[in-house]
């Protein structure tokens, strides 16, 4: 089933919104469009806040869970402001497994605390900085429940990975077939809902159970596969951390049972939903 | 004939079935084995007797297309589609050099109707690699195996072997084939490879799909925790790149595998391989070449590279001896001691093999 598509047109899955106990609202700090579609899936009384870190910190209400979506804003100023917010009980940080980095010497199944040596990718560097600062924050404010969620490549959002996989002809690096993990955007939304209700404390990698090779994902979507030599592939309009991912791939350890939730769709079901939806 | 066969033990039946090349023998109960062996004896046709009668997997891989791989009666779906754990035991019932199954296998490969395991094992690619490499195993290197009974039939274990080859890690290919072809239960050996495999185009994903893994403690732990066999070459690149003058003289062993054995309580089966060092005998080793390799692959740890002259691998006769398992160390202090014990066992066996056979 081939759907007409051009770059930038990604299927926005038409499914009912995820219901959530009313009365509790999340405040989102967002700068990335893709994250906004994720939060929109939740039936929440959401207030989107934009601005610089220090401005935001002042505007956040007391006693409401706060979701921080990683963006280019000044995380240090925001966290410094939040530290003074006495009513804050729950802080959720949306990070990315890209924080692990990629390298030929990474273990095949990456444990939660393993990182490749320093990398020059902008996103990876800023994510690492954010997570370090969040850890300092947790040290200063032990009364705040802190949840760091690292979502695997989201399917169904307008992010670069979804856009790339939805092309008619999907380029990859010649000679490399990375192992990838995905997460359906609805499962991601459900994970956030679970986090808001149960308030688990800690850092968690969230990915659909299972993993797949890029070539198999492309075949599952009945797309054409176009392996390009690495120098040419690097010229494509893809963020640097994705270029690395397309070379070495990454599979993270499954979420521990202490988190209390695991995505309902497997990796393959997520892909089928993504391509069929 | 059935009454006669019925008197044998299951183990004897299984080895008989192996000699007769009965397909899917590893999954049969004793009753099935009796029937299958009797049939194989009557037919006299050693390779294809079981196939036409064997039921096939009914899993629908695409509307209108069913899987079609043979299954062993008690189960209804084949190992690929959830019948059993295909990451520990090789997908059975396809037989050796079964190129006639390739159309079916290719169809599976193209539809991707099964799952790969977290280390990247693709059972279909592994099966096809097994068929191809069996030519090397049987007809080129004429591998002779002894002591295969020392490989446990289930549960985690580490197979520690001596490394050699200088050009290509042929011993890394032959070690899993020994267990796949000779053992009563054809289990997979997840051989741990060095990081250069991750950097080379094509190799980078093929080696994973064929069932090997990257030599990091986390990978090793994963393999053992899931009860699989881990194949290691504790000498590492040092052992791989040694000149012919030092052949079969073991280099220093890394201790990582013994630490893994200690943590996972897995026995260590020492394996002595004679033959790998003669395939591409290295006249000398060069540090300059190693520097060149590090220039292109900065993440690879290598000090010396062997220089060999023959472009075609020598057709040497290989001997692979599996030795009695060594129990894992009970505490961390004994790790060095056990490492030396494994090294000593392999070295003694290698000395006997080299001096004894003189082939």
């Amino acid at each position: 089933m081939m759907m007409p598509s051009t770059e930038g047109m990604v299927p926005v899955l038409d499914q009912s919104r995820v219901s959530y106990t009313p009365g509790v609202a999340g405040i989102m700090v967002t700068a990335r469009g893709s994250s906004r579609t994720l939060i929109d899936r939740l039936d929440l009384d959401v207030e989107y806040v934009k601005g610089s870190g220090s401005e935001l910190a002042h505007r956040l209400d007391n006693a409401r869970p706060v979701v921080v979506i990683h963006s280019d804003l000044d995380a240090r100023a925001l966290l410094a402001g939040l530290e003074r917010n006495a009513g804050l009980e729950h802080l959720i940080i949306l990070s990315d497994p890209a924080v692990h980095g990629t390298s030929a010497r990474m273990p095949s199944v990456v444990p939660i605390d393993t990182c490749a040596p320093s990398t020059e990718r902008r996103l990876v560097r800023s994510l690492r900085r954010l997570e370090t600062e969040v850890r300092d924050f947790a040290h200063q404010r032990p009364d705040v429940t802190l949840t760091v969620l690292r979502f695997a490549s989201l399917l169904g959002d307008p992010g670069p990975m979804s856009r790339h996989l939805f092309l008619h002809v999907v380029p990859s690096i010649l000679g490399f077939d990375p192992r990838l993990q995905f997460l359906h955007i609805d499962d991601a939304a459900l994970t956030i809902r679970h986090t808001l209700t149960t308030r688990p404390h800690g850092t968690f990698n969230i990915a659909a159970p299972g993993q797949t090779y890029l070539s198999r994902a492309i075949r599952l979507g009945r797309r054409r596969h176009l392996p390009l030599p690495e120098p040419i592939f690097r010229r494509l309009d893809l963020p640097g951390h994705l270029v690395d991912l397309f070379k070495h791939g990454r599979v993270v350890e499954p979420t521990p049972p202490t988190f209390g939730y695991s995505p309902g769709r497997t990796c393959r079901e997520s892909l089928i939903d993504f391509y069929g939806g | 004939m059935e009454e006669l066969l019925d008197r044998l033990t299951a183990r004897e039946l299984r080895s008989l079935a192996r000699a007769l090349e009965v397909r899917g023998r590893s999954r049969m109960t004793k009753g099935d084995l009796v029937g299958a062996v009797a049939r194989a004896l009557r037919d006299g046709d050693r390779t294809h007797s079981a196939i036409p009668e064997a039921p096939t997997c009914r899993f629908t891989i695409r509307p209108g297309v069913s899987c079609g791989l043979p299954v062993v009666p008690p189960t209804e779906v084949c190992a690929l589609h959830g019948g059993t754990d295909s990451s520990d035991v090789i997908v059975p019932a396809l037989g050796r050099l079964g190129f006639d199954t390739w159309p079916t296998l290719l169809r599976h490969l193209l539809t991707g109707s099964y799952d790969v395991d977290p280390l990247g094992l693709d059972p279909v690619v592994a099966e096809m690699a097994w068929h191809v490499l069996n030519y090397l195993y049987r007809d080129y290197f004429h591998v002779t195996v002894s002591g295969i009974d020392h490989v446990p039939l289930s549960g985690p274990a580490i197979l520690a072997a001596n490394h050699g080859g200088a050009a290509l890690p042929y011993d890394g290919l032959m070690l899993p084939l020994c267990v796949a072809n000779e053992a009563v239960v054809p289990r997979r050996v997840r051989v741990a490879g060095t990081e250069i495999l991750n950097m080379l185009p094509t190799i980078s994903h093929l080696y994973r799909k064929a069932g090997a893994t990257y030599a990091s403690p986390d990978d090793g732990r994963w393999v053992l925790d899931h009860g699989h066999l881990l194949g290691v070459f504790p000498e590492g690149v040092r052992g791989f790149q040694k000149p012919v003058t030092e052949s079969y003289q073991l280099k220093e062993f890394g201790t990582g595998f013994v630490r893994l054995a200690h943590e996972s309580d897995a026995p260590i089966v020492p394996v002595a391989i004679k033959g790998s060092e003669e395939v591409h005998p290295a006249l000398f080793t060069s540090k300059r070449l190693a520097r060149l390799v590090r220039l292109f692959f900065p993440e690879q740890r290598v000090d010396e590279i062997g220089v060999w002259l023959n472009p075609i691998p020598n057709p040497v006769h290989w001997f692979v001896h599996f030795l009695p398992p060594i129990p894992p160390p009970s505490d961390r202090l004994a790790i060095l001691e056990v490492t030396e014990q494994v090294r000593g066992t392999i070295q003694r066996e290698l000395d006997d093999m080299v001096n004894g056979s003189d082939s």
Side-chain angles (χ1 to χ4, degrees):
Chain A
M1 198 171 29
M2 206 77 124
M3 283 187 60
S5 79
T6 54
E7 191 172 358
M9 243 182 83
V10 171
V12 175
L13 304 167
D14 182 31
Q15 288 185 9
S16 58
R17 304 176 98 209
V18 176
S19 65
Y20 175 67
T21 345
V24 189
I27 297 180
M28 315 300 159
V29 182
T30 176
R32 281 199 304 188
S34 60
S35 325
R36 204 167 167 129
T37 49
L38 169 67
I39 301 299
D40 277 344
R41 310 229 132 222
L42 291 163
D43 204 3
L44 280 177
D45 176 18
V46 171
E47 189 188 340
Y48 287 103
V49 202
K50 274 191 174 178
S52 74
S54 48
E55 268 171 51
L56 287 172
H58 290 295
R59 291 180 46 198
L60 298 173
D61 292 356
N62 286 350
R64 294 220 278 175
V66 174
V67 180
V68 175
I69 294 166
H70 166 258
S71 58
D72 290 329
L73 59 80
D74 182 5
R76 175 168 300 191
L78 173 73
L79 289 168
L82 284 173
E83 232 170 76
R84 290 193 294 273
N85 184 341
L88 180 70
E89 288 174 5
H90 189 193
L91 177 66
I92 303 172
I93 309 282
L94 297 194
S95 184
D96 192 300
V99 76
H100 293 294
T102 38
S103 134
R105 286 173 64 174
M106 285 287 265
S108 307
V109 182
V110 185
I112 190 94
D113 52 357
T114 300
C115 275
S118 60
T119 161
E120 73 278 17
R121 300 293 176 206
R122 199 173 56 86
L123 176 78
V124 180
R125 266 195 331 210
S126 67
L127 277 176
R128 283 187 185 169
R129 204 163 43 224
L130 172 74
E131 290 205 6
T132 320
E133 277 160 18
V134 162
R135 243 167 267 138
D136 290 347
F137 173 86
H139 193 67
Q140 302 289 333
R141 287 286 306 269
D143 57 312
V144 177
T145 309
L146 177 75
T147 318
V148 180
L149 299 176
R150 297 180 188 149
F151 288 139
S153 308
L154 288 179
L155 291 176
D157 72 336
M161 184 57 128
S162 291
R163 221 160 44 221
H164 188 81
L165 287 182
F166 213 72
L167 296 172
H168 273 313
V169 178
V170 184
S172 75
I173 301 181
L174 185 67
F176 291 89
D177 195 0
R179 294 167 305 130
L180 301 173
Q181 281 180 315
F182 298 103
L183 184 63
H184 195 279
I185 189 156
D186 286 348
D187 285 330
L190 283 167
T191 310
I192 295 181
R193 188 185 71 162
H194 171 82
T195 311
L196 285 170
T197 40
T198 59
R199 299 196 173 183
H201 184 87
T203 306
F204 304 98
N205 277 322
I206 314 287
Q211 52 281 313
T212 185
Y213 282 101
L214 174 65
S215 60
R216 291 166 62 103
I218 295 171
R219 251 180 260 132
L220 215 57
R222 311 267 175 93
R223 296 300 199 262
R224 290 288 165 80
H225 188 180
L226 176 68
L228 297 173
E230 198 179 331
I232 299 177
F233 185 84
R234 283 184 185 279
R235 299 199 163 198
L236 298 181
D237 185 22
L238 271 177
H241 69 276
L242 272 191
V243 175
D244 288 348
L245 187 67
F246 272 73
K247 186 164 182 190
H248 291 304
R250 182 189 314 114
V251 169
V252 293
E253 265 186 359
T255 323
T258 49
F259 183 66
Y261 175 81
S262 95
R265 295 173 184 79
T266 64
C267 184
R268 191 213 305 241
E269 286 162 354
S270 307
L271 278 165
I272 290 173
D273 262 19
F274 169 66
Y275 281 118
Chain B
M1 190 190 298
E2 266 85 357
E3 297 84 31
L4 272 174
L5 288 173
D6 213 27
R7 281 189 219 149
L8 299 174
T9 64
R11 189 174 174 134
E12 286 163 338
L13 274 170
R14 206 155 269 148
S15 57
L16 194 58
R18 188 167 82 225
L20 289 165
E21 296 174 23
V22 172
R23 284 149 202 242
R25 57 186 178 262
S26 60
R27 312 213 152 229
M28 291 186 183
T29 58
K30 194 184 166 191
D32 299 325
L33 271 175
V34 169
V37 168
R39 217 165 358 184
L41 285 173
R42 266 198 294 273
D43 293 1
D45 179 2
R46 287 153 51 106
T47 42
H48 294 286
S49 58
I51 283 289
E53 299 142 52
T56 51
C57 173
R58 294 267 161 240
F59 186 89
T60 316
I61 57 174
R62 213 176 37 222
V65 182
S66 66
C67 163
L69 290 177
V71 290
V72 183
T75 53
E76 302 230 316
V77 281
C78 63
L80 282 184
H81 299 114
T84 40
D85 180 15
S86 63
S87 57
D88 187 45
V89 179
I90 287 171
V91 179
L94 300 186
R96 74 172 224 217
L97 300 186
F99 284 106
D100 47 340
T101 57
W102 275 42
T104 323
L105 291 179
L106 282 170
R107 194 165 68 225
H108 280 79
L109 204 59
L110 291 177
T111 48
S113 60
Y114 54 91
D115 288 319
V116 297
D117 88 347
L119 299 187
L121 165 75
D122 185 326
V124 168
V125 175
E127 179 76 25
M128 294 165 95
W130 184 31
H131 293 170
V132 174
L133 291 175
N134 254 343
Y135 277 122
L136 211 58
Y137 178 87
R138 289 188 200 281
D139 304 330
Y140 201 77
F141 290 142
H142 300 280
V143 181
T144 308
V145 178
S146 78
I148 194 74
D149 295 340
H150 293 310
V151 179
L153 297 183
S154 65
I158 298 181
L159 309 184
N162 59 312
H163 208 6
L168 288 170
Y170 290 105
D171 41 7
L173 302 174
M174 292 302 130
L175 181 63
L177 285 182
C178 292
V179 181
N181 289 328
E182 316 292 341
V184 177
V185 179
R187 298 182 71 192
R188 282 188 207 284
V189 181
R190 315 298 294 265
V191 176
T194 181
E195 50 264 22
I196 195 144
L197 298 177
N198 280 334
M199 301 177 221
L200 297 173
T202 312
I203 306 287
S204 65
H205 58 95
L206 268 187
Y207 92 97
R208 283 180 182 284
K209 288 176 179 172
T213 166
Y214 168 58
S216 81
D218 293 301
D219 283 26
R221 208 168 294 129
W222 190 95
V223 170
L224 295 175
D225 286 350
H226 286 73
H228 303 328
L229 295 178
L230 177 69
V232 293
F233 296 97
E235 290 174 272
V237 184
R238 290 186 305 271
F240 185 52
Q241 301 289 356
K242 61 188 156 201
V244 73
T245 47
E246 293 170 27
S247 59
Y248 303 121
Q249 302 300 311
L250 293 181
K251 299 270 177 183
E252 200 181 312
F253 270 27
T255 55
F257 74 107
V258 184
R259 195 166 301 129
L260 278 176
H262 167 63
E263 286 167 14
S264 311
D265 200 26
I268 302 166
V269 181
V271 185
I273 301 177
K274 182 182 171 291
S276 56
E277 311 240 5
E278 297 149 57
V279 178
H280 284 285
L283 303 181
F284 56 92
T285 55
S286 156
K287 290 194 171 156
R288 210 166 282 171
L289 264 180
R291 220 173 297 148
L292 198 68
V293 168
R294 283 202 305 268
L295 194 68
F296 286 105
F297 302 103
E299 285 165 310
Q300 174 64 40
R301 292 164 287 193
V302 58
D303 299 327
E304 291 181 311
I305 296 269
V307 178
W308 39 273
L309 296 177
N310 53 329
I312 299 170
N314 292 336
V316 238
H317 194 145
W318 283 44
F319 296 90
V320 180
H321 289 191
F322 291 82
L323 303 169
I326 293 171
S330 48
D331 67 299
R332 299 183 67 84
L333 296 175
I335 285 178
L336 269 178
E337 195 184 309
V338 173
T339 311
E340 273 313 301
Q341 192 189 347
V342 175
R343 185 173 174 276
T345 314
I346 300 178
Q347 184 67 69
R348 268 196 304 281
E349 185 70 17
L350 276 177
D351 290 346
D352 286 354
M353 287 159 90
V354 172
N355 299 333
S357 69
D358 201 33
S359 52

